[in-house]
């Protein structure tokens, strides 16, 4: 089997203007970035705003394992399969971050014959959205420090600066730094920090904003520091809003590319789901719903993170109503949850499968709490035995879920037709009564505890002294009606990544809390989660190269 990048580079890619025609988008409504990618204009968004919405389908997964689950691959393949059935569909995805691309994961454009292309462009600089977000974030940091240096009219307490610099790369040495060293003209000496761009509040703001007016409103509300009286100081107060918005003018526009089978894909925004809210932009999703009859979108990592935030943050804030959820699993991943080592996952082991399927069971239960129909799809491997597949099918049907096999990695859209038919049947025969998990009126502590108990299966929640103090301050500022964004490991339902399967008898520890006033949610950081990841012993960057002809290799 060829590598993903070899398949992508051999693809018959058509001009993006031809892809756009499938959605009745005129060439003048595109802002072209070469032949194969484009931004979708504000004029297009305005033209289609009265169109009837299509059906929204979320793709999520069980907790990720080293065995791989194939959530993005399934999303892409499902969109291609709708095309095989002559249905007008759009895939709405997040943009990949350079951090994991050069770190542990490699590329993130799907896999096999279910990919979006141009794969190299998407994984590297694409249309510059992440660079614009990084620049806006760091402009705000520079203006903040300059305000302190130039007389500090707002009385900012340098010990209470909460805005962090960012870069779209994994670099652990920048987590905790000191700035302002040198002479008097080099600034005020203080402790500072870097986060990865996908954890920046500006990423969240961009992904939740409806338009430029809403973007500027949200940017201006970002809390960057507190003054000597403990009162918040915002980006608007230090005069940063307009310049940040100027940097983000083009980044606010969704991007259009295609799959290997020329299905349109709107790819825009990219907050991580373990440390941010894990969904592509509201603007991209809403536009997709106006352009197509079926929109397939995904949320990051497992359903305990991505799907929960998709429902409780994105859908709540944007008024979206998903019609169905596809939950991706693999026999290999379930056996891993049952205690099988990675090297032995290709061997049939029904006993381990029965032990590990409790992880899938919990995710099914969680998704059903949102009252949206659930379809479980098993991403098929040639090593799966018929007995193992049959067991998973019967397990799902017994719990009120639909079930379908997926072979999109190997066969592209043709391998997803069974899943697409099952999704269509579900949309036609089962009604979605979507509702978020909790009400806005609950306290922040009640919201955190609801997610911990209902979604993770925890016995309760404990708070560090600093987290408890910050929760009180946020409530005193009148922001307790915000939803919560839980920063938690993706590898376990608990906040301890070593606890596989369906852990019980644990408590979740919240060690840090901060408010993202522009994004309008409160972040609760649990366990050992880091907002600036580090590189592993052998990062994926070691295997990425470009030859003399300019052809990139090693992006998986």
């Amino acid at each position: 089997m060829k590598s993903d990048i070899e398949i992508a580079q051999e693809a018959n890619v058509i001009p993006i203007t031809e892809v756009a025609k499938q959605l009745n988008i005129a060439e003048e409504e595109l802002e072209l970035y070469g032949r194969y990618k484009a931004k979708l204009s504000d004029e297009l968004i305005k033209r289609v705003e009265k169109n009837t919405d299509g059906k929204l389908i979320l793709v999520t997964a069980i907790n990720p394992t080293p065995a791989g689950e194939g959530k993005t691959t399934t999303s892409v393949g499902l969109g291609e399969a709708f095309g095989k059935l002559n249905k007008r569909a759009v895939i709405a995805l997040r943009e990949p971050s350079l951090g994991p691309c050069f770190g542990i994961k490699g590329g993130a454009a799907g896999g096999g014959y279910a990919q979006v292309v141009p794969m190299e462009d998407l994984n590297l600089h694409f249309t510059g959205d992440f660079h614009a977000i990084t620049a806006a974030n760091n402009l705000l940091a520079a203006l903040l420090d300059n305000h302190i240096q130039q007389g500090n009219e707002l009385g900012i307490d340098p010990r209470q600066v909460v805005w962090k610099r960012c870069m779209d790369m994994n670099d652990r040495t920048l987590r905790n730094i000191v700035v302002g060293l040198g002479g008097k003209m080099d600034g005020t000496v203080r402790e500072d920090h870097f986060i990865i761009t996908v954890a920046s509040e500006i990423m969240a703001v961009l992904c939740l904003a409806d338009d430029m007016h809403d973007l500027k409103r949200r940017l201006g509300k970002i809390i960057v520091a507190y003054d000597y009286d403990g009162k918040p100081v915002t980006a608007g107060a230090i005069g940063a809003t307009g310049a940040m918005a100027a940097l983000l003018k083009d980044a606010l526009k969704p991007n259009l590319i295609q799959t290997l089978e020329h299905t349109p894909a709107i790819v825009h925004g990219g907050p991580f789901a373990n440390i941010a809210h894990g969904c592509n932009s509201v603007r991209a999703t809403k536009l997709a719903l106006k352009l197509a009859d079926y929109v397939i979108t995904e949320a990051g990592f497992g359903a305990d993170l991505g799907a929960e935030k998709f429902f409780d943050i994105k859908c709540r804030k944007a008024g979206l109503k998903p019609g169905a959820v596809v939950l991706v699993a693999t026999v290999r991943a379930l056996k891993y949850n049952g205690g099988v080592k990675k090297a032995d996952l290709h061997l049939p082991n029904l006993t381990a499968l029965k032990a590990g399927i409790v992880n899938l069971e919990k995710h099914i239960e969680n998704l059903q709490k949102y009252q949206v129909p659930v379809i479980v799809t098993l991403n098929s491997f040639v090593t799966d035995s018929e007995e193992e597949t049959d067991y998973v099918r019967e397990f799902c049907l017994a719990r009120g879920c639909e079930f379908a096999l997926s072979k999109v990695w190997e066969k592209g859209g043709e391998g997803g037709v069974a899943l697409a038919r099952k999704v269509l049947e579900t949309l036609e025969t089962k009604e979605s009564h979507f509702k978020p998990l909790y009400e806005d009126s609950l306290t922040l502590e009640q919201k955190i505890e609801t997610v911990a108990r209902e979604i993770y299966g925890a016995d309760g929640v404990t708070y560090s002294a600093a987290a408890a103090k910050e929760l009180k301050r946020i409530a005193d500022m009148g922001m307790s009606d915000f939803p919560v964004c839980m920063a938690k490991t993706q590898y376990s339902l608990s906040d301890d990544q070593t606890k596989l399967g369906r852990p019980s008898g644990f408590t979740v520890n919240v060690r840090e809390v901060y408010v993202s006033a522009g994004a309008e949610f409160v972040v609760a950081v649990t366990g050992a989660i880091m907002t600036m990841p580090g590189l592993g012993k052998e990062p994926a960057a070691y295997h990425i190269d470009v030859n003399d002809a300019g052809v990139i290799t090693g992006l998986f």
Side-chain angles (χ1 to χ4, degrees):
M1 185 72 178
K2 296 173 181 175
S3 69
D4 290 348
I5 194 168
E6 288 172 333
I7 292 170
Q9 289 172 342
E10 293 175 4
N12 174 31
V13 186
I14 64 174
I16 198 64
T17 50
E18 295 300 310
V19 177
K21 286 178 183 177
Q22 298 177 46
L23 302 174
N24 297 321
I25 299 172
E27 186 169 348
E28 58 267 23
E29 294 175 316
L30 300 174
E31 296 177 10
L32 298 176
Y33 281 61
R35 295 189 68 200
Y36 305 116
K37 54 189 175 181
K39 281 196 168 287
L40 299 168
S41 68
D42 293 337
E43 290 76 17
L44 169 66
I45 295 172
K46 186 169 184 59
R47 176 174 71 81
V48 301
E49 63 184 3
K50 289 186 168 54
N51 287 6
T52 302
D53 283 347
K55 298 282 189 181
L56 181 59
I57 302 148
L58 172 68
V59 178
T60 186
I62 62 172
N63 291 100
T65 70
E69 288 65 56
K71 177 162 48 63
T72 303
T73 301
T74 301
S75 300
V76 175
L78 180 57
E80 292 176 333
F82 272 107
K84 293 284 186 187
L85 297 174
N86 296 315
K87 303 294 184 182
R88 190 192 297 193
V90 171
I91 304 157
L93 303 174
R94 294 177 299 161
E95 301 175 47
S97 162
L98 291 176
C101 182
F102 291 111
I104 193 171
K105 286 178 67 176
Y113 288 92
Q115 295 188 59
V116 286
V117 286
M119 182 256 218
E120 305 96 317
D121 293 16
L122 175 61
N123 280 304
L124 299 178
H125 303 287
F126 200 30
T127 57
D129 294 346
F130 282 22
H131 299 314
I133 291 166
T134 303
N137 184 104
N138 294 338
L139 171 64
L140 179 53
L143 289 170
L144 169 62
D145 280 315
N146 185 63
H147 181 93
I148 296 171
Q149 172 74 6
Q150 302 293 351
N152 197 7
E153 182 182 345
L154 295 172
I156 294 169
D157 183 350
R159 299 162 301 178
Q160 294 193 77
V161 171
V162 295
W163 189 250
K164 300 176 175 67
R165 287 168 163 83
C166 78
M167 64 182 292
D168 193 32
M169 199 63 66
N170 295 357
D171 192 347
R172 62 171 55 83
T173 61
L174 293 177
R175 288 172 185 161
N176 304 292
I177 61 171
V178 176
V179 296
L181 295 174
K184 185 177 180 181
M185 296 304 296
D186 297 316
T188 300
V189 177
R190 65 176 183 85
E191 183 181 355
D192 201 358
H193 312 271
F194 267 81
I195 56 176
I196 192 165
T197 297
V198 288
S200 169
E201 185 178 349
I202 292 180
M203 174 67 82
V205 162
L206 182 98
C207 288
L208 291 168
D210 286 324
D211 50 29
M212 177 57 74
H213 179 80
D214 191 36
L215 177 72
K216 292 175 70 173
R217 177 187 71 83
R218 291 172 177 275
L219 289 172
K221 288 173 57 180
I222 292 172
I223 294 173
V224 295
Y226 294 88
D227 64 19
Y228 285 108
D229 295 325
K231 295 178 181 176
V233 178
T234 64
I238 63 170
T241 304
M244 285 194 292
L247 284 171
L248 297 169
K249 177 178 73 74
D250 291 328
L252 185 60
K253 299 169 185 175
N255 309 291
L256 180 69
I257 53 175
Q258 64 191 286
T259 74
L260 294 176
E261 298 180 11
H262 316 312
T263 305
I266 299 178
V267 185
H268 193 222
F272 275 0
N274 57 346
I275 51 182
H277 78 281
C279 309
N280 73 324
S281 77
V282 166
R283 215 167 187 232
T285 302
K286 284 187 170 181
L287 176 58
L289 288 166
K290 297 297 183 183
L291 293 171
D293 299 320
Y294 301 95
V295 175
I296 300 104
T297 192
E298 67 162 7
F301 294 126
D304 56 317
L305 287 169
E308 186 272 315
K309 295 172 184 181
F310 175 84
F311 291 140
D312 288 321
I313 297 176
K314 181 175 178 177
C315 291
R316 180 196 302 268
K317 291 292 184 181
L320 297 171
K321 298 187 184 301
V325 183
V326 175
L327 176 58
V328 181
T330 66
V331 166
R332 292 161 56 88
L334 294 173
K335 288 190 290 191
Y336 184 86
N337 270 283
V340 176
K341 293 180 180 177
K342 185 180 178 182
D344 298 326
L345 292 173
H346 64 287
L347 301 173
N349 191 330
L350 193 60
T351 301
L353 177 61
K354 289 179 178 179
I357 205 167
V358 293
N359 186 265
L360 174 62
E361 179 182 47
K362 177 58 175 163
H363 287 296
I364 291 171
E365 291 174 9
N366 287 348
L367 293 172
Q368 289 174 335
K369 290 175 181 178
Y370 293 95
Q371 300 181 35
V372 180
V374 180
I375 304 105
V376 173
T377 187
L378 208 53
N379 195 8
S380 182
F381 285 75
V382 294
T383 55
D384 299 347
S385 72
E386 188 175 341
E387 185 181 26
E388 289 171 328
T389 301
D390 288 345
Y391 177 77
V392 178
R393 178 187 289 108
E394 294 305 317
F395 185 91
C396 295
L397 294 176
R399 283 152 183 80
C401 289
E402 299 298 330
F403 177 87
L405 275 178
S406 171
K407 298 184 179 181
V408 297
W409 183 85
E410 177 187 2
K411 298 181 178 181
E414 191 61 42
V417 166
L419 173 60
R421 290 189 192 279
K422 189 60 70 175
V423 171
L424 286 169
E425 178 189 326
T426 300
L427 289 170
E428 290 167 4
T429 61
K430 294 188 176 182
E431 203 168 332
S432 173
H433 300 283
F434 167 71
K435 58 173 290 187
L437 186 67
Y438 53 79
E439 300 296 331
D440 291 337
S441 57
L442 295 183
T443 66
L444 292 170
E445 290 88 347
Q446 287 171 327
K447 291 169 185 172
I448 292 168
E449 184 153 332
T450 298
V451 174
R453 288 183 182 273
E454 296 290 325
I455 302 300
Y456 308 155
D459 290 342
V461 181
T462 60
Y463 300 91
S464 70
K469 182 178 179 181
E470 192 61 22
L471 282 168
K472 183 180 184 306
R473 173 155 70 174
I474 294 167
D476 289 344
M477 289 191 296
M479 300 179 188
S480 58
D481 60 332
F482 286 177
V484 293
C485 180
M486 304 293 288
K488 181 185 76 71
T489 178
Q490 64 268 35
Y491 297 114
S492 172
L493 284 159
S494 74
D495 58 352
D496 178 352
Q497 69 176 38
T498 65
K499 295 182 186 296
L500 302 181
R502 183 174 182 167
S504 61
F506 67 92
T507 58
V508 169
N509 178 252
V510 175
R511 62 178 174 83
E512 180 186 356
V513 172
Y514 57 90
V515 63
S516 292
E520 297 177 340
F521 57 63
V522 173
V523 181
V525 183
T526 71
I529 198 74
M530 293 288 181
T531 52
M532 169 55 86
L535 293 171
K537 191 169 185 180
E538 189 173 334
Y542 287 172
H543 308 289
I544 297 171
D545 201 354
V546 56
N547 66 20
D548 292 345
V551 177
I552 293 172
T553 58
L555 267 175
F556 284 28

